[in-house]
């Protein structure tokens, strides 16, 4: 059996999320929502890969998918170093770092159980980026601060 | 940027767990215990890969690691279709299906909270394989049957 068969081949169309902080690829997978993918899509994950820029990094590749802006924002929260490349016909068509917007809508649950965004009302969570390095968010409804995003992704 | 750079390269030394039932690669990762790996090891996971044998499958590759017999048994419980290849110097040195032994020691917790294997005694869990297709295990201490292994891995 040739070792060649064991390779993970490059993708024809899809998205590569590179420079994910070491150990966080599975969190990125959760954000992407592997369950919801096209039934023909292969997802590849590499954990603990050598990187000049970061020392060690993780990589996620997803076929036949381009990320919604909300998912990109969620990835930016979890790993601000990540870069996103869009692949079409085996070529990198676009490559950019993830970018944290001023406001984060509907990605996180507010940790304050009494916050109006946690009531059975049709109100979406909304946070302001109150600090960037490291990122701290403030709920626009109750002023609760959040800096531990992994546990509050909705 | 060349697409080549996005490839996941074959491994020099390590283990490839192939033919994992579709969707179960992350369970296999948990069994392997990614946290406990050599600090130079890259782990690659491919989810939802086309397979002649299975339709769709998952693959896990781990550098610089050979699996303990206990971990192989745990993988056999979770995905009996899996095959294990040992890679040395880029060559497949050994390839074999996972194999379920007669008895499973210390991999699963007994779901019976009153079972002696769940008391603060130095007694390891032990199950007998009482049925093979699909696999059903019976606790040798309390006779409790288990067929839902994902939730009882210890």
């Amino acid at each position: 059996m040739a070792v060649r068969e064991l390779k993970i081949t490059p993708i024809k169309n899809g998205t590569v999320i590179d420079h994910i902080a070491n150990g966080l690829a599975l969190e990125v997978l959760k954000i992407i929502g592997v369950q919801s993918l096209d039934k023909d899509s292969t997802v590849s994950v590499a954990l603990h890969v050598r990187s000049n820029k970061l020392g060690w990094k993780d990589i996620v590749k997803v076929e036949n998918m381009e990320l919604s802006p909300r998912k990109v924002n969620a990835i930016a929260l979890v790993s601000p170093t990540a870069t996103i490349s869009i692949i079409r016909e085996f070529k990198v068509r676009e490559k950019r770092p993830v970018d944290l917007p001023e406001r984060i809508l509907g990605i996180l649950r507010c940790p304050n159980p009494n916050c109006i965004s946690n009531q059975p009302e049709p109100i979406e969570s909304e946070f302001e980026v109150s600090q960037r390095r490291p990122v701290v968010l403030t709920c626009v409804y109750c002023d609760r601060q959040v800096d531990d995003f992994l546990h509050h992704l909705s």
Side-chain angles (χ1 to χ4, degrees), chain A:
Chain A
M1 180 184 185
V3 170
R4 194 172 332 119
E5 293 178 47
L6 303 173
K7 267 193 199 169
I8 293 172
T9 48
I11 56 179
K12 186 179 178 192
N13 295 301
T15 301
V16 177
I17 306 147
D18 199 353
H19 305 106
I20 300 167
N22 187 25
L24 294 180
L26 302 184
E27 301 301 332
V28 170
L29 269 194
K30 268 190 231 160
I31 291 167
I32 293 172
V34 181
Q35 311 310 333
S36 66
L37 291 174
D38 188 285
K39 69 175 182 39
D40 278 350
S41 302
T42 293
V43 177
S44 309
V45 183
L47 301 151
H48 206 62
V49 179
R50 248 175 240 284
S51 157
N52 292 332
K53 210 155 75 175
L54 302 172
W56 297 95
K57 65 177 181 179
D58 289 358
I59 309 171
V60 172
K61 299 200 275 182
V62 187
E63 278 187 337
N64 306 321
M65 184 209 64
E66 299 192 6
L67 288 165
S68 68
R70 285 200 175 197
K71 288 184 176 173
V72 174
N73 291 345
I75 293 168
L77 279 177
V78 165
S79 179
T81 55
T83 56
I84 309 238
S85 300
I86 310 293
I87 314 291
R88 293 197 193 115
E89 295 295 325
F90 295 108
K91 296 244 164 64
V92 178
R93 291 297 174 194
E94 195 189 319
K95 184 179 175 177
R96 58 188 163 83
V98 292
D99 185 33
L100 207 58
E102 303 281 303
R103 284 176 177 247
I104 303 286
L105 271 155
I107 293 168
L108 298 169
R109 262 175 298 102
C110 180
N112 172 8
N114 298 320
C115 177
I116 192 168
S117 67
N118 282 320
Q119 307 311 309
E121 309 262 330
I123 292 182
E124 194 168 47
S125 74
E126 185 171 344
F127 293 87
E128 211 168 58
V129 177
S130 44
Q131 187 187 299
R132 291 204 165 236
R133 283 168 190 253
V135 176
V136 178
L137 304 181
T138 304
C139 176
V140 301
Y141 297 110
C142 74
D143 281 336
R144 180 69 67 98
Q145 295 206 321
V146 194
D147 60 3
D148 170 19
F149 311 116
L150 287 185
H151 294 104
H152 300 294
L153 291 171
S154 61

